[in-house]
Amino acid sequence: MKIELQQLKEEALQSIKSASGLEELKQAEIKYLGRKGKITKVLRGLKDLKESERKEVGSLANDIKNELQAEFSQKKNQEGGVKKESFIDVSLPGEKIDKGHIHPLTIVQSELEDLFRSMGFIVLDGPELESDYYCFEALNMPKDHPARDMQDTFYIDKSSLYNKDEENKDLDLLMRPHTSPVQVRGMQKHGAPFRAVVPGRVYRSEVIDACHEHTFDQMEGIMVDKNISVTNLIAVIKELIDGLFGQKMETRVRPGYFPFVEPAIEMDIKCTICQGHGCPSCKNSGWLELVPAGMVHPKVLKYGGIDPDKYSGFAFGLGLTRLVMMRYCIEDIRMFNSGDLRFLEQF
Ligand code: DAH
């Protein structure tokens, strides 16, 4: 009897192993463990055995039955046949979902992009690893031009470049210290009339402190068309400033100097902290420098492939990072690239 049981067990295990699909498994289960199954029959026949044999065979038969049942259900699970009972306990507390935050720079940048789009400007991008030609030459700053020292530029050691021999071969490369090179790239690509803003990162070799960073953001703007004048320039920048602060701001215009614009101006706003009375933030002048700008120099238009006798234009350069600092009263510029969640979670 015991030998018979062992044989049955082997047989059953074999058919579990070779069963393909749920249906075959179920059939095999019925064949061995069903009401009229082979193992069940043995268990039923126990009562006819002698007392001494009954105990021993009975316990073996039970063990085999349990073992086979386990094998069957494991294989059925593998075949995906037995679905776990699932239910939703609606009384359990929910899991907190971590929310990401939009970087303050991105918030202001998108607002400005929308504002400029509404005035018919396109949004352009340009390379951050840029040539000396676009950063300086084409902006009316030939080699030796003193204005090149206005920014402390990071120059690139060409031997460190991956792409050494291709298009970069004859170029002096640098990390762009301003977004102005995209003025010329944009004009070359799109021709006149042309309206664009260029938000982006710029790099300068600065000693870092609460007010200075080597990496920060600017937004360049340029508009070229027939009969563009300083009046258009001032109107657009005023629109920009009012849009940015959400109210009419008091502004003033001063002369400035940048080689790529003539005339150059500086647009200031009345100090938002002391309302013009004078405080440390405005160095007691009552005004904050906000937007340097000017009429695009005829030479720069030419570099852009545009005839300065037919077209004129204006350009401006917003210190995007500085604007965001003013808007949200951020006192330390180093927070911007810190990745510090305590800072970012406030926006
Ligand atoms: N590129 C200048 C800078 O980074 C800012 C600037 C001044 C841009 C005058 C302009 C402009 O387009 O007209 O300091």
Side-chain angles (χ1 to χ4, degrees), residues 65-83:
K65 185 184 149 198
N66 290 338
E67 194 181 331
L68 288 177
Q69 255 166 359
E71 290 290 332
F72 273 115
S73 59
Q74 193 189 350
K75 180 85 187 244
K76 277 201 277 189
N77 262 336
Q78 282 170 8
E79 301 279 338
V82 178
K83 289 206 182 73

Side-chain angles (χ1 to χ4, degrees), residues 218-234:
Q218 289 188 334
M219 186 185 257
E220 193 77 13
I222 178 166
M223 176 168 179
V224 178
D225 209 330
K226 293 200 166 120
N227 303 318
I228 296 288
S229 69
V230 179
T231 323
N232 301 116
L233 163 62
I234 292 172

Side-chain angles (χ1 to χ4, degrees), residues 29-318:
E29 195 175 14
I30 293 169
K31 184 168 166 193
Y32 293 97
L33 302 175
R35 266 198 311 145
K36 292 179 184 163
K38 293 184 173 181
I39 306 270
T40 320
K41 266 190 191 154
V42 176
L43 284 164
R44 288 218 175 108
L46 283 175
K47 61 179 186 327
D48 304 326
L49 292 180
K50 277 190 276 175
E51 176 86 42
S52 57
E53 260 184 306
R54 197 190 299 157
K55 224 173 154 189
E56 214 180 322
V57 178
S59 107
L60 178 66
N62 254 324
D63 286 350
I64 289 177
K65 185 184 149 198
N66 290 338
E67 194 181 331
L68 288 177
Q69 255 166 359
E71 290 290 332
F72 273 115
S73 59
Q74 193 189 350
K75 180 85 187 244
K76 277 201 277 189
N77 262 336
Q78 282 170 8
E79 301 279 338
V82 178
K83 289 206 182 73
K84 270 203 197 137
E85 255 189 60
S86 69
F87 81 106
I88 297 169
D89 182 352
V90 291
S91 67
L92 280 175
E95 259 177 48
K96 187 167 170 271
I97 299 169
D98 277 336
K99 248 200 314 182
H101 294 254
I102 301 179
H103 195 286
L105 248 168
T106 314
I107 299 176
V108 175
Q109 182 182 320
S110 332
E111 271 182 34
L112 288 177
E113 285 177 9
D114 286 347
L115 188 96
F116 278 106
R117 280 203 190 91
S118 77
M119 294 192 276
F121 284 66
I122 55 170
V123 179
L124 287 183
D125 217 0
E128 291 176 18
L129 176 61
E130 183 55 289
S131 63
D132 181 278
Y133 176 81
Y134 281 109
C135 280
F136 296 123
E137 282 302 308
L139 291 172
N140 194 27
M141 282 181 272
K143 297 248 154 35
D144 309 328
H145 194 289
R148 285 189 175 217
D149 300 336
M150 283 166 84
Q151 298 121 2
D152 298 302
T153 306
F154 282 123
Y155 286 89
I156 299 292
D157 169 9
K158 268 198 284 185
S159 65
S160 70
L161 283 179
Y162 176 64
N163 183 5
K164 283 194 200 37
D165 37 19
E166 301 300 323
E167 75 249 41
N168 297 333
K169 189 172 77 209
D170 303 320
L171 297 176
D172 281 332
L173 290 172
L174 40 106
M175 298 308 290
R176 65 175 181 193
H178 53 180
T179 42
S180 303
V182 193
Q183 286 186 24
V184 179
R185 284 185 177 276
M187 287 190 281
Q188 287 177 343
K189 183 160 178 212
H190 297 275
F194 174 55
R195 295 179 196 189
V197 284
V198 187
R201 278 206 164 156
V202 298
Y203 303 85
R204 290 185 195 177
S205 176
E206 296 273 5
V207 178
I208 295 167
D209 61 27
C211 306
H212 300 90
E213 247 287 21
H214 50 64
T215 303
F216 55 99
D217 280 66
Q218 289 188 334
M219 186 185 257
E220 193 77 13
I222 178 166
M223 176 168 179
V224 178
D225 209 330
K226 293 200 166 120
N227 303 318
I228 296 288
S229 69
V230 179
T231 323
N232 301 116
L233 163 62
I234 292 172
V236 168
I237 297 184
K238 274 196 159 158
E239 191 71 22
L240 151 73
I241 293 174
D242 294 347
L244 196 67
F245 288 90
Q247 65 185 80
K248 277 249 165 292
M249 300 294 285
E250 209 172 317
T251 52
R252 75 172 184 187
V253 173
R254 283 181 297 121
Y257 173 72
F258 291 95
F260 35 91
V261 279
E262 180 58 39
I265 63 162
E266 296 270 0
M267 185 90 124
D268 300 343
I269 54 166
K270 184 154 278 177
C271 180
T272 48
I273 294 163
C274 64
Q275 319 303 336
H277 297 298
C279 71
S281 290
C282 58
K283 296 188 193 110
N284 277 318
S285 70
W287 296 89
L288 295 168
E289 266 180 53
L290 203 64
V291 190
M295 300 303 294
V296 181
H297 197 289
K299 277 191 182 164
V300 177
L301 287 173
K302 269 194 201 151
Y303 277 113
I306 288 173
D307 183 350
D309 293 329
K310 289 197 186 131
Y311 290 96
S312 55
F314 66 74
F316 59 87
L318 272 179

